Amino acid sequence: MAYDLVIRGGTVIDGSGAPRAGADVGISGGRLATIGRIDESGEAEIDATGLFVVPGFIDGHAHFDAQIFWDPLGNCASLHGVTTTIMGNCGFSIAPTPAADKVLAIRSIERAEDISRQDMLVGVPWTWRTYADYLDAVDALEKGINFAGYIGHSALRCFVMGERGRVCSSWPGTSATPCSRVS
């Protein structure tokens, strides 16, 4: 069998639960073809001696909800071996949020994640109303990694309650203040 790529001499962790093992990995046609000792040459070869060879990492806590629209490769996560990331953490997401109410979601993300309002206004298309619509918009993007997401409580609360849902709770025992009044 001719391989497009052979990764040689690495420690393979295949994700199956099997113990890690020294092995070569052969890729043909963009797919994993062989794990084990490979005597044939590949069109390209990588020496992975002293390195782990893995199918990828899952980042279970990310905030790509807005960034995915201007950074579909998932930088810097993809550069660190992340192949799947979960968005919508910490109760923050940009959906469900219709375009008319986007300022509510932007305010939350801007404060919590320090992503600029201008970047979100320019970089996010706001073509959805529901969370399912948002997932369709994300699904339509060509992406460098896999994305999954949670519905953020803040966006869901505002979707149901509008501006009344935008309350920022302070520490226990203190009063809640509408976010529009928080500096």
Side-chain angles (χ1 to χ4, degrees), residues 55-182:
F57 296 101
I58 298 171
D59 180 353
H61 189 129
H63 296 277
F64 279 102
D65 310 64
Q67 183 177 337
I68 189 174
F69 291 100
W70 64 82
D71 180 17
L73 292 180
N75 290 306
C76 288
S78 61
L79 300 176
H80 293 137
V82 171
T83 57
T84 301
T85 189
I86 313 298
M87 307 178 294
N89 286 278
C90 301
F92 299 110
S93 63
I94 59 173
T97 307
D101 295 333
K102 66 185 172 187
V103 70
L104 299 175
I106 288 174
R107 196 180 304 149
S108 292
I109 301 294
E110 181 181 37
R111 288 197 171 120
E113 299 306 321
D114 198 27
I115 298 175
S116 86
R117 175 182 302 255
Q118 188 61 31
D119 286 346
M120 286 184 278
L121 288 171
V122 171
V124 178
W126 299 99
T127 56
W128 54 85
R129 173 172 167 68
T130 67
Y131 193 73
D133 296 340
Y134 169 75
L135 292 179
D136 288 343
V138 169
D139 192 46
L141 299 171
E142 290 190 31
K143 295 170 284 303
I145 62 176
N146 301 303
F147 291 88
Y150 298 118
I151 298 175
H153 173 77
S154 294
L156 183 59
R157 182 177 169 95
C158 288
F159 183 76
V160 173
M161 298 177 67
E163 183 65 37
R164 292 178 314 133
R166 292 297 319 132
V167 176
C168 296
S169 299
S170 298
W171 292 101
T174 61
S175 62
T177 307
C179 284
S180 58
R181 295 188 190 155
V182 175

Side-chain angles (χ1 to χ4, degrees), residues 9-12 20-24 36-37:
T11 300
V12 175
R20 62 186 177 184
D24 302 327
R37 177 151 172 86

